[in-house]
């Protein structure tokens, strides 16, 4: 759904895909593999204000719980209730049905400051 190569990334593995004044966000394929089986996701409410780099959601896997950081500042316009009901979607399709929520960016330039896919890939290669 959201081509990984078209997304922008944070070092903490969150991605954003912007189109039409809205950014869809989620965790990278690399991150979902690292945390393994996702068993619980807590998302912000629609209408919530989030700030780039600040924790705004929680992901729990069989290994551990982790904060999800907003890749851009703005207002949450929609959340993906499907991953609350079926957290395994995050593992199955992190750039598809496993997206987290949508944001109306308040500072669109923040998107430009995120890494492109090639740069992000360099940070994840061991």
């Amino acid at each position: 759904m959201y081509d990984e190569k078209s997304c922008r990334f944070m070092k903490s593995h969150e991605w954003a895909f912007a189109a039409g004044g809205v950014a869809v966000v989620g965790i990278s394929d690399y991150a979902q593999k690292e945390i393994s089986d996702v068993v619980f996701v807590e998302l912000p409410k629609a209408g919530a204000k989030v700030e780039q780099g600040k924790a705004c959601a929680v992901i729990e896997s069989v290994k551990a719980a982790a904060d999800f950081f907003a890749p851009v500042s703005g207002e949450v316009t929609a959340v993906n209730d499907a991953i609350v009901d079926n957290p395994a979607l995050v593992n199955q399709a992190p750039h598809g049905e496993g997206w987290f929520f949508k944001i109306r960016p308040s500072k669109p330039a923040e998107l430009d400051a995120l890494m492109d896919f090639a740069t992000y890939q360099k940070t994840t290669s061991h």
Side-chain angles (χ1 to χ4, degrees):
M1 189 196 289
Y2 306 102
D3 178 24
E4 188 174 36
K5 292 180 175 79
S6 302
C7 294
R8 307 291 289 187
F9 296 85
M10 292 180 64
K11 286 181 185 170
S12 52
H13 310 293
E14 293 82 3
W15 60 263
F17 177 84
V22 174
V24 180
V25 301
I27 67 165
S28 71
D29 186 47
Y30 174 84
Q32 70 80 18
K33 287 175 184 164
E34 288 292 303
I35 63 175
S36 74
D37 299 331
V38 176
V39 295
F40 175 79
V41 179
E42 181 181 321
L43 299 173
K45 303 268 185 255
K49 303 274 195 261
V50 297
E51 193 175 325
Q52 184 182 46
K54 303 281 186 189
C56 62
V58 176
I59 312 159
E60 289 185 23
S61 73
V62 293
K63 286 184 175 180
D67 285 331
F68 177 92
F69 301 97
V72 293
S73 300
E75 181 182 341
V76 176
T77 60
V79 297
N80 186 358
D81 290 326
I83 65 169
V84 174
D85 297 335
N86 183 8
L89 288 173
V90 175
N91 296 113
Q92 295 163 6
H95 290 274
E97 294 175 357
W99 61 275
F100 278 47
F101 52 91
K102 297 180 181 181
I103 300 173
R104 182 176 302 109
S106 57
K107 301 174 184 171
E110 289 177 342
L111 284 162
D112 297 332
L114 297 174
M115 291 181 277
D116 62 20
F117 181 67
T119 304
Y120 173 71
Q121 267 194 310
K122 291 176 189 167
T123 70
T124 60
S125 52
H126 301 279

